Amino acid sequence: AQSVTQLDSHVSVSEGTPVLLRCNYSSSYSPSLFWYVQHPNKGLQLLLKYTSAATLVKGINGFEAEFKKSETSFHLTKPSAHMSDAAEYFCVVSDQPRGSARQLTFGSGTQLTVLP
Amino acid sequence: DAGVTQSPTHLIKTRGQQVTLRCSPKSGHDTVSWYQQALGQGPQFIFQYYEEEERQRGNFPDRFSGHQFPNYSSELNVNALLLGDSALYLCASSLKETQYFGPGTRLLVL
């Protein structure tokens, strides 16, 4: 079984300061991991994905995440927050039990607030 | 290239009614997945369709059913609506591993 824990339900940062959104996962197989962002009243946009290549993954809008198998973590970072980054962020795991399609399991989300 | 599209954008129904939601995948994608996102929560997997068949299903009752057409578009049907079915319903399409989401249909059950 797969699961995702987002360690912070709310994160608040000042514009121009670093962002860290924390995510731990559990998976019975070699997982693929994703971060999606959801702006108010919008669908989900893919920020980045890890699929067993490089452990440091770069995404859109300056975000990146590092896959750490020993810590079962996939934290999302950005060096300098922008007001437009304010949104809900979801960490997502997808593994492949034998004979199964790739079902996505979402964390509960982290609401990022960016203060001027 | 149009992304994933869903219709309608909003819908209001009453308890006991039935509803059909529609999804058109990104061009070239052959797999459609449906998710339910209740207010303040992460999306929950309902089911996935590939080659016009349900390939995998999450923990949802049989009141939730679906269909995929030869052009890969898909429908989600919910029978005997309950108040708790009020949510944002998201469709995602994929060709391989990465799923791309539509804007969703917001369903309100009164």
Side-chain angles (χ1 to χ4, degrees), chain A residues 32 34 36 38 41-44 46 49-51 90 100-104 106-108, chain B residues 35 37 40-43 45 48 55-57 88 90 97-103 106:
Chain A
S32 296
F34 307 82
Y36 284 86
Q38 187 174 37
N41 300 313
K42 297 289 180 68
L44 292 155
L46 178 68
K49 62 180 179 180
Y50 165 77
T51 55
F90 292 98
S100 174
R102 284 196 175 265
Q103 168 183 339
L104 298 183
F106 283 74
S108 55
Chain B
Y35 294 81
Q37 185 179 19
Q41 299 182 21
F45 175 74
Q48 183 178 86
R55 182 160 70 170
Q56 190 176 15
R57 188 178 183 91
L88 179 67
L90 295 162
E97 185 171 84
T98 303
Q99 296 186 20
Y100 295 88
F101 285 81
R106 189 165 296 281

Side-chain angles (χ1 to χ4, degrees), chain A residues 3 8 20-21 46 48 50 54-56 58 60 70 89 96-97 100 102 106 114:
Chain A
S3 66
D8 307 290
L20 170 65
L21 305 183
L46 178 68
L48 49 79
Y50 165 77
T55 57
L56 182 61
K58 294 188 183 298
I60 62 171
S70 61
Y89 291 79
Q96 183 70 62
S100 174
R102 284 196 175 265
F106 283 74
V114 182

